[in-house]
Amino acid sequence: MDLSFSEEDLAFRDEVREFLATALPADVKDRCDRGLHPTPEGQIRWQKILNEKGWMAPNWPVEYGGTGWTITQKHIAAHEFGHAAAPIALPFGVSMVGPVIYTFGNQEQKDKYLPRILNSEDWWCQGYSEPGSGSDLASLQTKAVRDGDDYIVNGQKIWTSFAQHADMIFCLVRTDSSAKQQEGISFLLIDMKTPGITVKPIIGLDMEHSLNEVFFEDVRVPVANRIGEENKGWTYAKFLLGNERTGIARVARSKRQVERLKDIAKAERCGGHTLSFCNDFNNKLTRIEVDLMALEYTELRYLSMIASGKQLSAEPSLLKIKGTEIQQRLTGLLVESLGMYGAPYEAERAYEGRNEAPVGPDYAHGPMAEHLYLRAATIYGGSNEIQRNIVSKMVLGL
Amino acid sequence: MDFELSDEQNMLKDSVERFVKDNYSSEARAKLADTELGFSRDHWKKMAELGWLGLPFPEEVGGFGGTAVETAIMMENMGSGLVLEPFLSTVILGGGLVAEAGSEVQIEAIIPQVIEGNMMLAFAYAEPQSRFDLNDVETTATKSGDGYVKKGHKAVVYHGATADKIIVSARTGGNSRDEDGISLFIVDNNSSDVTRRDYRTIDGQRAADIKFEDAKVGADALLGEEGGAYPVIEKVVDKAIAALCAEAVGAMQAANNITNEYMKERKQFGTPIGKFQVLQHRMVDMYMEAEQSKSMSDMVAMKLDLDDETERRKAVAAAKAQVGQAAKFVGQQSIQLHGGMGMTDEYSIGHYFKRLTTIEMLFGNTDYHFKKYAALAS
Ligand SMILES: Cc1cc2nc3c(=O)[nH]c(=O)nc-3n(C[C@H](O)[C@H](O)[C@H](O)COP(=O)(O)OP(=O)(O)OC[C@H]3O[C@@H](n4cnc5c(N)ncnc54)[C@H](O)[C@@H]3O)c2cc1C
Ligand SMILES: Cc1cc2nc3c(=O)[nH]c(=O)nc-3n(C[C@H](O)[C@H](O)[C@H](O)COP(=O)(O)OP(=O)(O)OC[C@H]3O[C@@H](n4cnc5c(N)ncnc54)[C@H](O)[C@@H]3O)c2cc1C
């Protein structure tokens, strides 16, 4: 057991810092720090910079374009990215479908899709959930019927994040209705431009458009776009969900939120002082900070176990549960820190062409949007109730 | 001791319930919230016709002499439909201040107009630095000729855009956090030396930031005693808090009903999600929070008109703290139990969550009122 950083680690940290200080565009940083959704243009601009540096996919094996960082280096990079409010690459390509493709895909699929993910040519979205199949994902109904070298896909996906910008969607589809639910699912990669696909917006609580319904009507998908074997899609889907859960903890981002809260508390006036003198506020913030520290070391401990070849069962669910609860407590406290300036709110598109900054102090622009959106953090990626079910069953044997 | 409503009170309740049922389907509300005005002048007229706008005022000023209990009945039922009309701003706050502190002339000029639905009011008290402290007033009103010159910035004035007159707290003496030296002024909302920025709030309502840059008002604008407005403000704000608690109770009960129904309908794993024990217990907790809040809201309504001011203040602080906590819990958990459906703008539950979120902040959040109660109770 050892927590210290080596000389090389410290040099690496300086390199990351230096890179972020010079390469991160100010507009991208500003949105990320405020907790606003990235603009598609800004996100892609930043991802291209990351890719040029070779840092687009730190978790990928080196042969596919990964960085080959040690877990210590990954931890350092994540911390520095969080601290600098540097967005990480969109998860749908790099963190979700990418690993599925290099783990279960064929050579042709690897050659075709992995480079396009790395240089942001394809924007991916995730077609898992359906109106009747959320927590009970395996009950999904979207059908794919074989027709020569194609599948014909019919059905509907819902809650598809950022599908309106997407070039590609990875989909779970039912290819065998007679088998046990989990045994009749296949994993397809579908070009969003294929005839028969319709994307309909869903406006969220935050009054922004990130969610969509995606409809499939006789959509022809080449069989060559299937990952792995027919009817084995559930295995790949679960592999992906395992990765998704770890990513969702977002410890580094939460550490940045703690810093922001401390900055706001020094500026926000309260009771003739600043909020930083308010005991109730400080207590709440400190409790979150300590919980977050515990989470950070839990994550590191698990990563170390994995690095040493140990097999984890459902422990990553803990990271998802605690990580998202902390995110929600933080955005709740951010909103609280604003006093009544938490209440003014308009969708971002309302400001277009208006040349008028949002009302209140500058730091008041962002927290409510993020607070509203992150109510979903305990719902998406497998709800926290489902995660607790998993831990109780898999880890505790209940 | 009696928590039951009288026949008359039950009639009032039925009438508000009917109004909400007829006018506040979630689609109708969403449409209304998205209009320029953010509420309906027709509804307002209707409320005047039903006598609701005059109910909280004492008979001496032309009102119908309702107590805080009648106000609570109205607010609770309006809360269940997330009613958008500025009842709280105009009648309880603005009208309350005028009725409490106004001269005969001022009362005559304003209250009958309010009761008939011809005049809307707003109360501008908060400032960027004041957070929830009513005594933290840096806006100044300096004597000049036979009037005053006002300078300062009022923050997040609910319905500040649509009010005909705004009641503004300003300092005519003392230091920035003194209780003494605060005065109230009645200001025309269209006067040219006032800059106003109107905006929407997350609960679908409207608010404004208002800046006075050497804005002149006549001596007749002074409402009540110069420098002595603090106790009046505190008393009227206490009434507003009690009203908000009732609104929150209505909103929580409605959110719980919607969630409860959803849990019976929504199926996953081949069974209604309401069969999962963890969700049942969560729903029970939400129900208990709403019940506790209802008790506190009823309690505060019955104590609001007491002469014992400390008792009143304690009741108000305790009620707001309890209701604030409950509002947060119920609002957030109703989203959670709806899953993705709860995250959409189209479905009604999110709007309950958002209104409950602002109710928690308005006139002092949970921490603020716990602290206030602790100071009063020690
Ligand atoms: C902002 C956002 C972004 C999303 N992005 C995507 C995306 O890009 N792609 C995609 O495919 N999906 C996406 N989703 C969908 C997400 O994965 C689902 O919302 C989630 O799986 C829950 O499903 P549901 O919404 O149908 O809720 P339901 O499954 O109906 O759940 C409703 C409630 O019941 C609880 N519940 C359900 N079953 C059980 C049980 N057995 N025991 C205890 N409690 C239970 C849940 O925890 C929840 O509280 C997104 C969702 C949101 C909100
Ligand atoms: C101090 C004390 C005084 C008592 N006095 C009396 C007395 O005077 N007379 C008398 O007859 N009995 C008495 N009892 C017994 C008491 O009523 C039982 O302890 C109680 O009913 C629980 O039963 P149990 O101890 O068998 O626990 P169990 O029933 O085995 O419960 C164990 C745990 O499982 C939980 N649990 C059980 N079923 C469910 C379910 N369906 N859903 C969710 N959770 C569940 C329980 O809540 C508990 O947390 C007393 C107990 C104590 C501790």
Side-chain angles (χ1 to χ4, degrees):
Chain A
M1 280 205 233
D2 181 12
L3 281 176
S4 61
F5 290 159
S6 67
E7 285 295 322
E8 296 87 69
D9 291 337
L10 292 173
F12 175 75
R13 186 179 64 188
D14 292 342
E15 187 194 351
V16 179
R17 269 187 200 168
E18 170 65 22
F19 168 70
L20 293 173
T22 52
L24 177 60
D27 60 319
V28 173
K29 178 186 170 92
D30 182 67
R31 292 190 70 84
C32 179
D33 208 20
R34 290 180 192 279
L36 300 172
H37 296 309
T39 64
E41 180 281 321
Q43 180 68 23
I44 289 176
R45 182 159 31 100
W46 170 235
Q47 288 187 179
K48 291 199 175 217
I49 296 171
L50 276 176
N51 190 41
E52 216 163 279
K53 177 80 180 164
W55 289 1
M56 181 68 178
N59 289 322
W60 287 16
V62 178
E63 55 172 315
Y64 300 119
T67 53
W69 290 341
T70 62
I71 57 163
T72 311
Q73 286 175 320
K74 283 182 195 167
H75 170 66
I76 289 171
H79 176 85
E80 295 300 327
F81 271 60
H83 178 69
I88 45 170
L90 283 175
F92 309 103
V94 168
S95 310
M96 294 184 182
V97 79
V100 169
I101 292 172
Y102 65 65
T103 310
F104 304 107
N106 59 35
Q107 196 57 42
E108 213 173 304
Q109 290 167 336
K110 292 182 202 178
D111 291 345
K112 177 166 179 193
Y113 294 112
L114 297 180
R116 294 176 65 86
I117 291 174
L118 290 176
N119 62 28
S120 304
E121 271 170 90
D122 290 333
W123 181 305
W124 284 86
C125 64
Q126 178 186 24
Y128 273 30
S129 307
E130 297 182 6
S133 308
S135 297
D136 184 12
L137 183 60
S139 68
L140 60 96
Q141 298 292 328
T142 297
K143 263 199 177 59
V145 179
R146 192 72 182 257
D147 181 38
D149 288 339
D150 291 336
Y151 286 109
I152 312 228
V153 179
N154 279 288
Q156 184 197 344
K157 297 293 172 179
I158 194 170
W159 316 122
T160 324
S161 296
F162 303 112
Q164 75 269 33
H165 307 309
D167 305 295
M168 295 289 298
I169 182 168
F170 55 91
C171 265
L172 297 181
V173 293
R174 187 154 302 285
T175 36
D176 183 352
S177 305
S178 60
K180 234 185 90 190
Q181 278 187 344
Q182 284 83 348
E183 285 157 19
I185 293 170
S186 299
F187 194 112
L188 296 184
L189 314 179
I190 306 178
D191 188 330
M192 289 293 282
K193 284 187 293 293
T194 321
I197 298 183
T198 323
V199 178
K200 274 199 194 157
I202 299 174
I203 302 302
L205 265 189
D206 56 2
M207 294 162 83
E208 301 295 346
H209 174 201
S210 69
L211 298 171
N212 300 277
E213 292 178 282
V214 182
F215 296 89
F216 297 85
E217 209 187 322
D218 294 331
V219 175
R220 273 192 179 271
V221 181
V223 172
N225 283 22
R226 190 190 66 220
I227 291 283
E229 288 175 52
E230 190 172 82
N231 297 329
K232 286 279 176 336
W234 189 246
T235 314
Y236 320 137
K238 279 202 308 188
F239 167 84
L240 183 152
L241 285 176
N243 291 336
E244 184 183 359
R245 268 157 212 172
T246 333
I248 281 177
R250 299 185 70 200
V251 171
R253 167 66 184 162
S254 289
K255 284 167 78 172
R256 173 64 198 143
Q257 300 280 58
V258 170
E259 293 172 357
R260 283 175 81 213
L261 271 160
K262 288 179 181 172
D263 288 343
I264 293 174
K266 282 186 203 129
E268 190 65 21
R269 282 170 292 172
C270 168
H273 302 279
T274 58
L275 192 56
S276 57
F277 285 88
C278 172
N279 283 338
D280 293 327
F281 178 84
N282 287 335
N283 283 345
K284 273 192 250 186
L285 182 53
T286 307
R287 278 167 197 274
I288 302 176
E289 200 174 342
V290 172
D291 270 352
L292 180 59
M293 189 189 289
L295 179 65
E296 182 176 8
Y297 283 101
T298 303
E299 185 175 58
L300 290 173
R301 191 161 61 81
Y302 289 168
L303 287 173
S304 152
M305 286 164 76
I306 293 167
S308 71
K310 293 205 179 87
Q311 200 60 38
L312 295 185
S313 86
E315 287 86 346
S317 287
L318 178 155
L319 305 178
K320 197 271 171 174
I321 296 169
K322 286 286 175 191
T324 52
E325 286 174 0
I326 286 172
Q327 287 164 38
Q328 291 183 341
R329 284 160 72 196
L330 283 165
T331 57
L333 199 54
L334 274 162
V335 166
E336 191 179 318
S337 75
L338 305 177
M340 275 319 294
Y341 277 122
Y345 190 81
E346 278 185 85
E348 280 200 85
R349 63 186 174 284
Y351 289 100
E352 277 164 20
R354 236 206 267 166
N355 196 24
E356 161 177 81
V359 75
D362 181 61
Y363 51 72
H365 177 43
M368 182 52 91
E370 194 178 21
H371 178 61
L372 295 175
Y373 181 73
L374 283 183
R375 293 319 309 167
T378 46
I379 297 169
Y380 57 49
S383 77
N384 285 20
E385 286 80 12
I386 294 297
Q387 304 296 345
R388 284 184 163 91
N389 288 349
I390 292 172
V391 174
S392 92
K393 190 168 157 194
M394 308 282 290
V395 183
L396 306 177
L398 294 171
Chain B
M1 180 157 330
D2 183 6
F3 280 76
E4 299 309 305
L5 301 184
S6 68
D7 289 347
E8 268 187 353
Q9 289 168 337
N10 267 320
M11 275 166 62
L12 175 64
K13 177 172 174 272
D14 290 346
S15 139
V16 186
E17 255 175 26
R18 206 167 323 116
F19 170 84
V20 168
K21 196 160 167 274
D22 292 348
N23 299 292
Y24 270 92
S25 68
S26 72
E27 299 77 32
R29 181 191 184 265
K31 260 202 201 126
L32 204 49
D34 206 34
T35 57
E36 187 67 30
L37 192 62
F39 59 85
S40 152
R41 290 206 187 269
D42 288 344
H43 291 170
W44 193 247
K45 272 269 159 241
K46 178 109 210 213
M47 290 179 170
E49 279 161 23
L50 288 163
W52 300 350
L53 305 185
L55 192 52
F57 294 111
E59 280 158 11
E60 306 90 81
V61 303
F64 311 127
T67 67
V69 173
E70 278 77 25
T71 300
I73 292 168
M74 285 191 281
M75 289 298 291
E76 192 175 307
N77 288 283
M78 290 194 227
S80 71
L82 301 177
V83 167
L84 292 161
E85 279 69 33
F87 182 80
L88 187 73
S89 295
T90 297
V91 177
I92 306 296
L93 281 168
L97 290 166
V98 173
E100 191 71 34
S103 66
E104 231 167 88
V105 177
Q106 288 167 329
I107 288 175
E108 232 156 76
I110 293 176
I111 302 298
Q113 296 285 340
V114 167
I115 293 177
E116 280 166 32
N118 297 326
M119 188 186 283
M120 294 191 181
L121 306 173
F123 179 31
Y125 64 97
E127 300 182 1
Q129 85 292 341
S130 71
R131 213 169 174 83
F132 308 121
D133 290 333
L134 302 171
N135 57 310
D136 193 331
V137 177
E138 290 184 356
T139 297
T140 53
T142 317
K143 267 233 158 76
S144 154
D146 57 356
Y148 297 84
V149 173
K150 294 165 65 76
K151 210 179 169 65
H153 178 175
K154 291 293 178 183
V156 198
V157 182
Y158 260 67
H159 302 107
T162 42
D164 301 293
K165 289 180 190 296
I166 298 190
I167 312 223
V168 183
S169 65
R171 193 157 281 291
T172 44
N175 293 317
S176 66
R177 291 180 50 79
D178 289 352
E179 289 180 5
D180 281 343
I182 298 171
S183 306
L184 290 171
F185 295 89
I186 307 172
V187 180
D188 272 342
N189 202 4
N190 50 13
S191 72
S192 58
D193 40 12
V194 177
T195 19
R196 223 184 50 213
R197 168 138 184 223
D198 308 335
Y199 47 83
R200 296 177 181 214
T201 49
I202 58 152
D203 49 10
Q205 306 208 8
R206 300 291 183 277
D209 270 33
I210 304 177
K211 285 184 183 156
F212 304 93
E213 306 247 7
D214 298 325
K216 292 184 189 60
V217 291
D220 57 351
L222 181 70
L223 175 66
E225 194 192 323
E226 186 184 287
Y230 183 77
V232 177
I233 296 174
E234 215 216 358
K235 185 170 173 189
V236 172
V237 165
D238 274 359
K239 290 188 182 179
I241 292 174
L244 263 184
C245 287
E247 184 189 343
V249 168
M252 280 189 259
Q253 289 174 341
N256 281 348
N257 288 339
I258 294 168
T259 307
N260 206 341
E261 281 310 305
Y262 190 77
M263 287 173 65
K264 290 182 196 161
E265 281 161 23
R266 172 68 175 169
K267 286 197 175 122
Q268 287 290 276
F269 304 98
T271 167
I273 58 172
K275 290 286 172 220
F276 299 122
Q277 193 177 53
V278 63
L279 303 192
Q280 292 169 345
H281 287 193
R282 192 88 46 83
M283 191 71 238
V284 171
D285 287 342
M286 291 158 70
Y287 166 77
M288 293 196 297
E289 287 297 334
E291 282 293 288
Q292 295 273 77
S293 298
K294 168 71 175 151
S295 310
M296 289 300 255
S297 170
D298 284 359
M299 175 279 289
V300 80
M302 290 186 277
K303 285 196 175 183
L304 202 56
D305 298 320
L306 289 184
D307 290 333
D308 181 341
E309 292 201 355
T310 308
E311 195 56 26
R312 181 201 84 210
R313 287 198 190 103
K314 275 166 66 178
V316 169
K320 183 63 169 49
Q322 150 63 33
V323 167
Q325 258 183 328
K328 236 183 197 177
F329 180 75
V330 169
Q332 296 180 352
Q333 291 307 324
S334 357
I335 303 289
Q336 182 67 24
L337 298 193
H338 275 84
M341 206 50 123
M343 286 299 297
T344 66
D345 182 58
E346 199 183 340
Y347 195 74
S348 68
I349 198 69
H351 298 278
Y352 285 91
F353 160 62
K354 291 198 248 187
R355 179 60 184 158
L356 288 168
T357 303
T358 49
I359 289 179
E360 194 272 340
M361 314 173 182
L362 275 163
F363 303 108
N365 61 16
T366 304
D367 277 359
Y368 179 85
H369 284 285
F370 270 130
K371 206 166 151 186
K372 188 167 173 188
Y373 180 82
L376 288 164
S378 68

